[in-house]
Amino acid sequence: MTGTDVKEAPCFAVYGTDGGGPFVLVSDHAGRAIPPELGDLGVSEADRARHIGWDIGIDGVGRALATKLKAVLIEQIYSRLVIDCNRAPGHRTSVVKISDGTPVPANQDLQPEQIAHRENTILHPYHARITQELDARLQASRPTMVVALHSFTPEMSGVKRPWQVGLLHNHDSRLAVILMELLRQEGLCVGDNQPYALTDTSDYTIPKHGEKRQLPHVEIEIRQDLIEQASGQEEWADRLARLLPVAWNEFCTLYGSDTAVPDQDKEGAAA
């Protein structure tokens, strides 16, 4: 589906080259751009550069990982302050009025048609591009793993977060459990649905593209202080490029390449 280098579109960028492996990388909060007609949203440059505007460091991790895995990465280029592409349309945090105590003046008193415009020009095209990538792979009967990349703050509301990385999962935890153990074997403090839990309503990308399609999937959250600098981004890209293929091979050994979600009444690991 995808050639080399970057191809920009109004709301997403595609990096990497499909080298034949199972991995499709997606990054919902990698960008900081704002549509010109929205100006600066009424938010200072310093605040837009904070975690409220994007997932700090995950752009560098994702692009390096795409290169190392010879995989496709689909990035959202717009700030989550414009619209959060990991929230379902109409979700109360899809277009935030206040984010971590910072008001977003341009998001106050929006009319339904204004929100619909952001959905139709940013949210839906981004997810349509992911759908296009997955459709092509499945039509070619190619095994596929969806990997969603995110980062999180070292501290929230005065509480320090000890996890260096967290793995999020919901209805099918098989791949997350495998990767979690591999990361712990490296001596890392790994969060199990920490610092956030993936639920039917809290997230949109994995439920839409992983769970509904019954594809192996995992959502990875890396602590931002570990990937603020290029050296940390490269380190984590190296680590994930080494461990994701191991996790995939173990998954296939245990479950085969048939990616159907197990019966949750019979397999507790999927709960």
Side-chain angles (χ1 to χ4, degrees):
M1 285 297 301
T2 307
T4 57
D5 302 320
V6 60
K7 298 178 181 179
E8 297 222 2
C11 67
F12 59 80
V14 181
Y15 290 87
T17 301
D18 182 352
F23 309 105
V24 174
L25 312 176
V26 298
S27 194
D28 304 321
H29 302 141
R32 297 171 54 187
I34 299 173
E37 66 271 18
L38 297 180
D40 60 6
L41 297 172
V43 179
S44 71
E45 182 177 356
D47 279 329
R48 297 197 311 274
R50 293 171 53 220
H51 71 95
I52 64 172
W54 65 313
D55 276 2
I56 295 169
I58 208 62
D59 55 341
V61 174
R63 295 169 196 177
L65 182 59
T67 298
K68 295 173 190 297
L69 286 177
K70 293 182 172 59
V72 169
L73 164 67
I74 302 170
E75 271 190 3
Q76 172 53 241
I77 69 169
Y78 281 117
S79 171
R80 65 198 303 173
L81 293 175
V82 179
I83 189 166
D84 192 327
C85 285
N86 195 29
R87 297 292 183 271
H91 191 278
R92 61 181 180 80
T93 62
S94 173
V95 180
V96 293
K97 297 181 179 180
I98 300 176
S99 184
D100 193 20
T102 299
V104 186
N107 291 351
Q108 310 297 322
D109 303 318
L110 289 177
Q111 297 302 307
E113 58 269 23
Q114 294 175 294
I115 295 175
H117 177 72
R118 297 190 194 184
E119 293 172 350
N120 291 332
T121 57
I122 299 175
L123 176 76
H124 294 315
Y126 168 67
H127 285 285
R129 182 62 183 84
I130 299 172
T131 296
Q132 178 189 8
E133 195 72 33
L134 297 176
D135 282 350
R137 296 177 65 94
L138 296 180
Q139 287 167 9
S141 299
R142 293 180 57 188
T144 298
M145 176 201 292
V146 180
V147 181
L149 300 169
H150 291 263
S151 70
F152 66 95
T153 59
E155 182 177 318
M156 180 61 73
S157 301
V159 178
K160 292 188 180 300
R161 292 163 154 175
W163 314 284
Q164 291 157 300
V165 60
L167 299 186
L168 279 52
H169 53 91
N170 186 15
H171 294 292
D172 182 1
S173 64
R174 295 175 296 171
L175 184 58
V177 167
I178 292 169
L179 185 56
M180 206 177 304
E181 180 58 27
L182 292 172
L183 288 163
R184 285 173 175 161
Q185 288 173 10
E186 305 239 318
L188 296 168
C189 181
V190 184
D192 182 353
N193 267 338
Q194 296 286 356
Y196 311 106
L198 196 159
T199 71
D200 292 338
T201 56
S202 64
D203 288 60
Y204 186 56
T205 298
I206 287 297
K208 177 178 177 65
H209 300 292
E211 292 177 342
K212 287 184 179 179
R213 286 179 178 266
Q214 299 187 343
L215 292 173
H217 56 267
V218 65
E219 185 167 334
I220 301 173
E221 292 266 2
I222 305 171
R223 206 174 67 204
Q224 289 170 357
D225 60 315
L226 303 177
I227 56 172
E228 284 180 314
Q229 305 300 321
S231 58
Q233 295 165 14
E234 189 72 13
E235 177 186 346
W236 274 92
D238 280 339
R239 177 177 289 118
L240 293 176
R242 177 166 44 84
L243 295 183
L244 281 169
V246 176
W248 172 253
N249 289 336
E250 186 171 339
F251 180 92
C252 291
T253 298
L254 291 171
Y255 305 109
S257 57
D258 180 354
T259 59
V261 176
D263 186 335
Q264 293 179 45
D265 293 330
K266 295 180 181 179
E267 303 221 14

